[in-house]
Amino acid sequence: MNYAKAMKSCAIALGAAAMATVAMAEDGPIKVGVILPMSGGSAYVGEGIFTGVELAVKQVNEAGGVLGRPLEILLRDEQLRPDVSTAAMRELITLEGVQHFIGPATSATSLANSQIAREEKVVNISPSAKTEALTAGENLHDYIFQLAPTTDVDGVRTVEVLKGIGTESICFTGFDYAYTHDWFAAVRANMGDIREAGAFLVPMNATDFSATITQLLSADCDTVIGTQFGGSFIAFIKQATPFGLFDSKTVLWGSNTGDHAVAAALGAELPAGLWASAADVWYYEGLESHAAYQEALADFQGRKETDMWPITGYNAVKFLAAAIDTAGTTDPTEVAAALDGLTIQTPLGEITIDPETNRANSPEFYGRFEPQDGSNAARMTDLRLVR
Amino acid sequence: MTNRSQLAFLALLFLILLAVPFMGSRYLTELTVQVMIFSLLALSLNILVGHIGLVSFGHAAFFAIGGYATAFFLSRWQLPLGIAMPMAVLLASIFALMIGALCVRLKAIYFAMLTLAFSMLVWGIIIKWKPVTGGDDGFVGIALPQFLSSPQNFYWFTLAVVSISTALMWVLSKSTMGQIFVAIRENETRANFLGVNVRQMQLIGFVLAALFAAVAGSLMSMYLRGMYPQSAFWTQSGHIVISVLLGGVHSFVGPILGASLLYLLEVTIHQYTQYWPLVMGLILIIVVLVLPEGLIGLFRKLYTSVRRE
Amino acid sequence: MAFLEITDATKKFGGFLAINAVTFCVERGARHAIIGPNGAGKTTLFNLISGLILPTTGSITLEGKRLAKKKPHEIVQIGMARSFQKVNVFPRKTAFENVQVALIASRKLQYNPFRGAAELFRDEIMELLEQVKLGADSERRAGELAHGKQKQLELAVALAAEPKILLLDEPTAGMSIAETLSSIALIRDIVQERGITLLFTEHDMNVVFEIASTISVLHHGEIIATGLPQEIRVNDDVQRIYLGRE
Amino acid sequence: MFANPMILFIQVMNSFSLAMNLFIIAAGLTLIFGVLRIVNFAHGAFYMVGAYLALSILGVTGNSNLGFVLGVLGAGAAMGAMAFVVERVLLSQLYDKEHMLQLLFTFALVLVIKDVVKMIWGSGQYSISAPPFLRGAVNLGISPYPKYALFLCIAGPIIAVAIWFFMERTRWGRILRAAREDRVMLNALGTDVKLVYSGVFVAGAALAAMGGALAAPRSAVDPGMDALVIIDAFIIVIIGGLGSLLGSFIGALILGFLTVMGSIYLQEWAIVASYVMMVVILLVRPWGLFGKPDEERH
């Protein structure tokens, strides 16, 4: 039996005096467990999401908190290891009494933590994991909510963009792991008469892509889509550019490589004409709410050109706060119920969590990188916010 | 430490462990479960490092095989725990027999590196053999027997398994076999000229070490409700080696101290700062420079100074 | 057929012929010495016989059993024990444990993970230690014993295996004169009492003539003479090697 | 699929340039092991620091040819200086202790270095571009080939020859080789062993750092870069034979070719190819291709 529930039934049984004690206990801040990669090669993702979490919590608390109580963040490093991320979650549940979680960031850790969430009946909002498996089949349960568009959604959206570009034949490349396989499967399922001219995968942790680049160059396709991310994406770009890959093929990349952080890191080395996607870009000007968010974020981070990850953490907190507000209690079962079908206003417009699938219809940006006058970092043009 | 003081320590530890679930903190109970499992894992490696004198950098492979096999037998084949766990341990031991037979032909650093290569091979297979292992997402969601789903019961189960394993390893370390193991560590050639088939004994030790590592892996997969490829990665093996070295290899209880301290430090530093690797690293450097015999050296020093007074 | 037969044994290290077509026999119950100047190949010959290295060609048999392809531990199990020129004990183990390990190995108890070792074979071990005059040092670590005592311990360890033949490589190396004298007496008494065949190398001629019943002379990897001590003493070749400074 | 010999030629070039990239990283590791007998887990961390140092130097000098040279050399020098302090103050206290303690120490060093890097440069990604004269491609007649990859193909052998020359033809090299063979003898010769050890550790660390700086134009500079490279460096040093420079060179070639050709022909099982290769080589030659066996029975 759940600890909080036990407390509650106790309270009811013991009457008013006990109720007062519980009320006292519930006056404190609402603890939010945040489990993200904070060390190693993916730390920038964790730090980005965490920035968004901090900003949203600051805003919520400044506006008087939720149910009159402030939110309190408890951060743990998942180290991209499921054993570590689950241990952190259990620690927060059993030691700190946390009942609401945001994170972890990756598919493997999210899948693992979701099992704990199911068992412990605590709310678990996954801000960034894209794997279908997280909320599909047996893995779907009442307490897990997936905000990022899944690979299936990405597949549909990618094909839409490809058709817009005029792609006729396509090559696939990327790390040989779950996300790549899932996304490619979704693209293949939707690509209709676009012809596949080969898939050239590299082992996980590979640092050299020259063999695949050579294969891609000689393959009979007009478009290449790929999945390397973070540092590996940067390495791929730097190795592929002198080979002329970006001159001879149209290239579209997944894995949120439209992130401004990537463009800033690569600077002039980011090839013009590369298609990419991102959960957010600071220079998007289509929505008032987005402008307001960016202003707040720029203020918070002390720089105008912000990255894409904060919005995922930001929206996760806003969903959680709205759900607790709607439920009128922090009881995780009721909060989870409130999240079903919940619609909130986000910087990128209305987002709803589907009550059946527990997935949010978060939009993403797709666009084509072009160098900017007066700035070192390229920006996506032809920017479209795909819902 | 003498045998008697080590036994006293183990007995005291056991009594404390008996009391843990009654302290009313579920956090403490679950934390102790993990500490027990890591201690068992470190103890198992010490059969190789401390007794026989072989440092394996691939010990995590057997931890992972034990864990994955348990997960698979419980969830896919729906076998009862009483069959699934022994089968998983047996499977890991068979792997150890095959891998060990090749590894014990090598010495010192080359032995270490060959074990590392094999464990990375195991890791690669885990990543790629998706239908069985779940691939890089891991084996998620283990059909745990009903009686183990409560934290309390899981604690008692773990305590029982770890205690029995520890007792067996203690008996082993004091047995005629254990004496021969240490003789091999001390002087391989001399042991050989006493009629000991050194490689065969090393192989036996390798399999025994793997067997207990698989027990630890089996417990861990059930505790985690899943098993993940990182558990076979070389960093995990390195982690076990470090727990053993931190505690001290020349005593039975050293690895228990090392594994417990390492894990508790990781968990607690983690709660206070995101710069936990830095703090861990500095602590390790201090231990290396000040307590070269590991924590057991500290205990020994304290023990002697207390006795002197 | 002789007890130990070495027939045409040859060992090459690269191009260097360390042992060249060595042939000789050791009779049961003999105290057979191998002598020769430094670098003659005495230790290499021992290593060949005890299986530490494999001969390039040739055969070695003990009671008719071929040893040449056998591993050291198998040769030990057939009944041969050896000591080393450099002290070779288990340094962190006590003298008691050193002998105990030898007994465990000879009784094949190394396969038993349950049989407690603590007090196992105490009487036997103490008897062996008394015999080599180490009764008082049984609880001291072998590595901390004086050099001579370590040699004595090695003897006890070798005897624990109850060998039929004992190979001692320079048993008095590094000992003082007094130690050497008592050590020789000890070795002679023990092998006689136990009826063990002894094959040993020694640089000290006094020791050799004190103990040996038969002597073979090794020079540049070849046996140049085998015979009774009094024969060897007057052998011209031996005189030349030892006295003529070659 | 590879009927086309030109593509095969390019793939061979790819293999070679990767091999040279890997060799530059592994050279320092094998040097440190050869003389100090220390398995340096921190080698990857030194490599990473080198890349970050080059990044900072290039931030000052700007992205010029001279800046790049300064970046590489400066990274080596700065890392070497830090390694000197670490060796003198900490590591030197462990030489006469058990091997395992040294291992534990280098592991601890990894943790510390990674966090310090994170404190200084943050957890984001950076990129160093190739110097202007090595940007773009040259036409090999059949296909464009990146100048920088070609540069690595030349730089690797040059570094190998330079180390070889130093080890075999100079007085210092002779001392180092003596140190590798016999520490006691070195002491007897009156050479300050301390100085030799410091020198080797510094040189190994500097090589790692320069390797990081040289690899940077083909990769990202980020906190994960050490983890990706350390295992490859270990494989090379082990299969080549610990302490053997020639072995590392050959080992790098084997791994380079295996990685490139493996990803083409083995495809999804390429991930285990390098480990299978390591297992096979160690089983056939337990001391590595060019290492020396500890003892022999035959």
Side-chain angles (χ1 to χ4, degrees):
Chain A
M1 196 191 219
N2 173 297
Y3 184 69
K5 264 190 177 169
M7 286 291 283
K8 254 202 183 137
S9 46
C10 261
I12 292 161
L14 289 178
M19 283 286 271
T21 343
V22 172
M24 288 259 288
E26 288 192 348
D27 269 349
I30 301 171
K31 292 176 174 176
V32 181
V34 179
I35 301 172
L36 295 168
M38 303 302 287
S39 57
S42 295
Y44 75 100
V45 174
E47 293 194 348
I49 298 174
F50 187 62
T51 304
V53 169
E54 280 185 301
L55 173 64
V57 166
K58 182 171 155 263
Q59 288 180 355
V60 168
N61 289 349
E62 277 170 5
V66 187
L67 306 178
R69 297 163 60 188
L71 298 177
E72 183 193 347
I73 308 167
L74 291 141
L75 174 68
R76 296 289 181 270
D77 183 2
E78 63 163 272
Q79 299 177 42
L80 299 187
R81 291 178 46 159
D83 53 341
V84 174
S85 68
T86 50
M89 192 173 197
R90 286 184 195 233
E91 181 244 312
L92 289 173
I93 294 170
T94 55
L95 188 64
E96 305 284 353
V98 177
Q99 296 173 322
H100 308 94
F101 287 87
I102 292 172
T106 66
S107 296
T109 46
S110 301
L111 275 166
N113 280 34
S114 169
Q115 299 301 316
I116 310 293
R118 182 210 297 258
E119 214 180 291
E120 301 292 335
K121 300 186 167 46
V122 294
V123 174
N124 183 9
I125 300 178
S126 167
S128 58
K130 279 181 165 292
T131 180
E132 288 294 315
L134 184 58
T135 49
E138 289 202 345
N139 287 336
L140 177 62
H141 57 85
D142 293 345
Y143 297 88
I144 179 74
F145 300 91
Q146 190 170 17
L147 296 192
T150 64
T151 45
D152 281 359
V153 176
D154 282 356
V156 175
R157 292 174 178 177
T158 307
V159 171
E160 242 170 70
V161 174
L162 289 175
K163 292 203 164 146
I165 301 168
T167 296
E168 288 172 3
S169 54
I170 190 171
C171 291
F172 298 93
T173 189
F175 283 137
D176 185 6
Y177 81 127
Y179 168 76
T180 303
H181 290 289
D182 293 351
W183 185 46
F184 289 173
V187 170
R188 286 189 184 108
N190 293 292
M191 69 187 189
D193 54 1
I194 296 177
R195 183 175 54 83
E196 177 177 347
F200 308 99
L201 302 189
V202 288
M204 270 166 68
N205 298 346
T207 53
D208 184 275
F209 309 107
S210 56
T212 1
I213 292 164
T214 307
Q215 285 177 305
L216 289 169
L217 276 167
S218 61
D220 178 27
C221 54
D222 57 49
T223 303
V224 174
I225 71 171
T227 64
Q228 280 93 338
F229 56 92
S232 299
F233 172 71
I234 292 175
F236 183 91
I237 295 289
K238 292 166 83 171
Q239 292 172 26
T241 303
F243 271 107
L245 181 71
F246 302 100
D247 303 327
S248 59
K249 312 270 186 202
T250 304
V251 180
L252 183 146
W253 224 260
S255 314
N256 298 305
T257 38
D259 185 5
H260 177 73
V262 175
L266 276 167
E269 290 178 284
L270 184 63
L274 177 86
W275 287 83
S277 64
D280 187 26
V281 287
W282 64 270
Y283 41 81
Y284 174 67
E285 288 167 347
L287 284 168
E288 288 283 324
S289 52
H290 184 258
Y293 161 76
Q294 278 300 335
E295 204 185 310
L297 182 62
D299 224 37
F300 188 66
Q301 290 204 283
R303 60 188 163 108
K304 185 165 169 250
E305 305 187 354
T306 57
D307 305 337
M308 67 154 253
W309 290 108
I311 198 151
T312 61
Y314 182 87
N315 285 349
V317 172
K318 288 295 170 94
F319 261 114
L320 182 63
I324 294 173
D325 213 30
T326 310
T329 164
T330 57
D331 177 78
T333 307
E334 290 181 41
V335 174
L339 276 165
D340 280 335
L342 184 66
T343 300
I344 63 164
Q345 286 297 329
T346 75
L348 296 176
E350 272 187 5
I351 299 180
T352 305
I353 291 177
D354 184 314
E356 294 298 312
T357 61
N358 284 13
R359 293 173 182 174
N361 60 344
S362 302
E364 264 187 9
F365 290 96
Y366 282 75
R368 195 182 73 246
F369 273 113
E370 292 297 343
Q372 296 295 306
D373 291 334
S375 165
N376 190 31
R379 294 182 199 169
M380 289 203 283
T381 55
D382 270 2
L383 198 62
R384 49 198 87 170
L385 184 58
V386 186
R387 292 181 190 275
Chain B
M1 282 208 272
T2 61
N3 279 348
R4 194 174 297 167
S5 55
Q6 292 205 67
L7 267 179
F9 176 84
L10 287 173
L12 185 69
L13 196 61
F14 184 71
L15 287 178
I16 294 172
L17 288 173
L18 280 180
V20 163
F22 300 108
M23 293 180 191
S25 162
R26 196 181 137 201
Y27 172 67
L28 188 66
T29 309
E30 296 196 339
L31 186 68
T32 314
V33 164
Q34 294 170 72
V35 171
M36 285 194 285
I37 295 173
F38 281 120
S39 298
L40 174 59
L41 189 56
L43 277 175
S44 76
L45 181 66
N46 203 38
I47 295 177
L48 273 181
V49 177
H51 295 178
I52 304 184
L54 287 172
V55 180
S56 167
F57 270 114
H59 202 53
F62 306 108
F63 177 70
I65 292 172
Y68 271 102
T70 305
F72 186 83
F73 293 146
L74 280 177
S75 304
R76 297 289 162 76
W77 287 359
Q78 317 264 318
L79 295 177
L81 182 67
I83 297 173
M85 206 170 155
M87 265 177 66
V89 172
L90 182 68
L91 187 75
S93 306
I94 292 169
F95 271 97
L97 190 64
M98 294 188 298
I99 294 173
L102 297 171
C103 290
V104 297
R105 299 167 59 224
L106 273 57
K107 291 197 158 75
I109 185 74
Y110 291 100
F111 169 85
M113 290 301 152
L114 189 57
T115 52
L116 178 113
F118 271 115
S119 80
M120 291 303 286
L121 208 53
V122 170
W123 171 80
I125 291 168
I126 289 171
I127 293 269
K128 290 310 303 174
W129 201 10
K130 204 169 162 104
V132 170
T133 63
D136 50 276
D137 276 344
F139 194 117
V140 183
I142 288 183
L144 210 57
Q146 198 55 45
F147 78 99
L148 286 182
S149 55
S150 94
Q152 295 263 339
N153 287 354
F154 197 88
Y155 182 90
W156 294 122
F157 178 72
T158 306
L159 179 60
V161 173
V162 171
S163 303
I164 292 168
S165 304
T166 306
L168 284 173
M169 280 189 273
W170 171 266
V171 169
L172 168 67
S173 76
K174 302 300 161 202
S175 72
T176 50
M177 182 184 268
Q179 282 286 44
I180 295 293
F181 282 167
V182 178
I184 290 172
R185 179 193 75 202
E186 291 277 293
N187 190 336
E188 207 179 302
T189 317
R190 183 70 258 186
N192 197 2
F193 278 97
L194 292 177
V196 175
N197 187 343
V198 171
R199 279 189 186 164
Q200 186 190 45
M201 292 311 292
Q202 286 172 330
L203 180 57
I204 291 173
F206 193 87
V207 173
L208 288 174
L211 186 153
F212 288 110
V215 173
S218 183
L219 288 171
M220 190 50 106
S221 72
M222 287 188 279
Y223 172 74
L224 289 176
R225 315 292 194 264
M227 202 68 193
Y228 306 97
Q230 286 86 348
S231 60
F233 205 63
W234 70 277
T235 45
Q236 175 80 54
S237 293
H239 204 268
I240 313 169
V241 172
I242 285 156
S243 337
V244 171
L245 296 180
L246 185 64
V249 297
H250 293 308
S251 69
F252 185 83
V253 298
I256 300 179
L257 296 174
S260 308
L261 183 81
L262 193 66
Y263 191 70
L264 292 176
L265 273 180
E266 266 178 14
V267 170
T268 44
I269 300 171
H270 205 134
Q271 288 167 9
Y272 293 102
T273 168
Q274 56 160 313
Y275 290 111
W276 61 269
L278 179 69
V279 181
M280 276 291 301
L282 292 175
I283 290 174
L284 278 179
I285 288 177
I286 291 168
V287 167
V288 167
L289 292 175
V290 183
L291 294 172
E293 281 181 73
L295 291 175
I296 199 75
L298 179 70
F299 270 69
R300 207 173 279 144
K301 275 179 198 162
L302 288 176
Y303 186 69
T304 8
S305 64
V306 166
R307 286 201 49 175
R308 211 175 289 143
E309 284 170 25
Chain C
M1 182 182 55
F3 183 63
L4 175 70
E5 276 188 14
I6 291 98
T7 316
D8 220 13
T10 300
K11 179 65 188 179
K12 275 186 192 169
F13 291 114
F16 174 64
L17 207 53
I19 295 293
N20 188 10
V22 161
T23 301
F24 71 98
C25 300
V26 177
E27 299 301 330
R28 187 185 298 275
R31 296 184 302 278
H32 196 129
I34 309 278
I35 62 168
N38 279 341
K42 289 170 294 189
T43 299
T44 308
L45 183 60
F46 261 40
N47 288 345
L48 279 182
I49 297 172
S50 61
L52 189 62
I53 55 176
L54 296 175
T56 314
T57 58
S59 84
I60 300 164
T61 61
L62 181 66
E63 293 185 307
K65 291 179 198 126
R66 291 175 58 87
L67 301 186
K69 289 269 163 61
K70 290 209 160 53
K71 305 223 167 75
H73 63 91
E74 293 168 327
I75 293 173
V76 175
Q77 285 159 13
I78 290 172
M80 180 186 290
R82 75 166 287 185
S83 75
F84 292 82
Q85 189 173 344
K86 278 190 193 159
V87 175
N88 211 335
V89 291
F90 302 112
R92 288 172 66 110
K93 282 180 177 284
T94 62
F96 182 88
E97 287 169 330
N98 266 271
V99 180
Q100 190 182 47
V101 164
L103 281 171
I104 290 170
S106 79
R107 312 266 156 96
K108 293 210 169 287
L109 285 176
Q110 70 262 43
Y111 301 110
N112 193 334
F114 300 111
R115 177 119 179 223
E119 291 296 297
L120 199 61
F121 309 131
R122 170 161 285 281
D123 296 343
E124 265 173 275
I125 294 165
M126 289 314 294
E127 195 181 320
L128 273 163
L129 287 173
E130 298 288 353
Q131 210 164 12
V132 298
K133 310 206 161 44
L134 285 177
D137 296 304
S138 68
E139 292 308 318
R140 290 183 60 194
R141 284 192 182 198
E144 293 161 3
L145 292 173
H147 178 80
K149 287 190 169 178
Q150 290 196 13
K151 281 265 175 191
Q152 281 158 262
L153 178 59
E154 277 202 286
L155 187 61
V157 165
L159 291 172
E162 289 169 22
K164 296 171 193 157
I165 179 166
L166 182 60
L167 273 64
L168 299 180
D169 195 358
E170 302 272 355
T172 65
M175 286 189 183
S176 67
I177 294 173
E179 279 176 331
T180 303
L181 289 176
S182 69
S183 191
I184 305 164
L186 188 66
I187 292 169
R188 193 184 48 211
D189 293 350
I190 288 173
V191 293
Q192 258 169 5
E193 182 191 327
R194 297 185 167 226
I196 299 171
T197 307
L198 178 69
L199 178 65
F200 68 105
T201 69
E202 184 54 68
H203 64 284
D204 186 334
M205 283 307 128
N206 294 327
V207 174
V208 173
F209 289 112
E210 183 78 21
I211 304 184
S213 61
T214 315
I215 297 174
S216 292
V217 185
L218 194 66
H219 183 55
H220 288 323
E222 294 179 47
I223 296 277
I224 55 167
T226 297
L228 299 171
Q230 55 269 38
E231 294 167 1
I232 297 298
R233 212 190 281 267
V234 296
N235 184 300
D236 288 346
D237 289 337
V238 178
Q239 292 276 324
R240 190 160 39 78
I241 292 167
Y242 274 93
L243 304 172
R245 295 245 155 253
E246 301 174 60
Chain D
M1 181 151 85
F2 278 89
N4 188 339
M6 295 178 186
I7 295 173
L8 190 61
F9 175 72
I10 295 294
Q11 295 293 23
V12 169
M13 292 292 295
N14 288 337
S15 309
F16 192 69
S17 75
L18 171 63
M20 291 306 100
N21 195 346
L22 292 172
F23 168 74
I24 296 169
I25 301 160
L29 189 62
T30 202
L31 184 68
I32 290 180
F33 184 86
V35 178
L36 274 65
R37 298 274 140 186
I38 288 176
V39 178
N40 182 20
F41 272 126
H43 200 72
F46 292 168
Y47 162 87
M48 176 169 76
V49 170
Y52 275 104
L53 286 170
L55 178 81
S56 291
I57 294 170
L58 280 165
V60 176
T61 63
N63 226 326
S64 62
N65 291 336
L66 180 66
F68 184 74
V69 175
L70 287 176
V72 173
L73 295 179
M79 186 66 239
M82 289 185 275
F84 180 75
V85 175
V86 168
E87 196 272 345
R88 276 295 94 210
V89 177
L90 303 170
L91 185 60
S92 57
Q93 300 185 30
L94 299 173
Y95 286 146
D96 46 0
K97 305 259 174 67
E98 278 184 65
H99 264 41
M100 283 296 126
L101 285 178
Q102 300 158 0
L103 199 99
L104 202 57
F105 174 78
T106 63
F107 179 83
L109 215 50
V110 175
L111 296 175
V112 173
I113 292 174
K114 289 192 75 155
D115 256 13
V116 170
V117 164
K118 191 170 139 187
M119 283 173 174
I120 298 175
W121 285 284
S123 57
Q125 293 134 349
Y126 299 96
S127 169
I128 293 176
S129 44
F133 80 107
L134 292 174
R135 268 177 222 164
V138 282
N139 202 329
L140 290 179
I142 41 173
S143 144
Y145 196 74
K147 282 184 192 168
Y148 197 81
L150 217 52
F151 161 72
L152 287 176
C153 291
I154 300 163
I158 289 175
I159 291 174
V161 168
I163 299 175
W164 173 83
F165 185 85
F166 180 79
M167 292 294 279
E168 302 291 326
R169 290 284 183 274
T170 65
R171 202 183 88 83
W172 268 95
R174 276 198 298 279
I175 294 171
L176 287 186
R177 275 182 295 141
R180 190 163 61 192
E181 302 303 330
D182 193 347
R183 291 181 187 192
V184 183
M185 194 171 77
L186 193 67
N187 259 329
L189 286 173
T191 304
D192 191 348
V193 183
K194 271 191 197 166
L195 203 63
V196 172
Y197 283 7
S198 292
V200 167
F201 191 73
V202 166
L207 274 172
M210 288 195 284
L214 284 171
R218 301 183 77 237
S219 64
V221 181
D222 74 5
M225 67 186 295
D226 64 324
L228 297 178
V229 86
I230 185 76
I231 193 94
D232 278 351
F234 267 105
I235 292 175
I236 289 168
V237 170
I238 291 293
I239 62 171
L242 278 161
S244 161
L245 186 72
L246 176 65
S248 292
F249 193 82
I250 304 291
L253 282 176
I254 294 174
L255 188 62
F257 273 81
L258 191 69
T259 306
V260 168
M261 299 305 173
S263 82
I264 298 166
Y265 295 106
L266 301 173
Q267 291 164 14
E268 58 171 337
W269 287 100
I271 193 165
V272 296
S274 53
Y275 305 115
V276 172
M277 182 258 309
M278 186 170 163
V279 165
V280 169
I281 288 181
L282 283 182
L283 289 178
V284 178
R285 283 184 69 87
W287 46 88
L289 294 173
F290 292 87
K292 285 191 190 131
D294 288 340
E295 58 184 277
E296 78 176 327
R297 185 161 185 260
H298 296 275

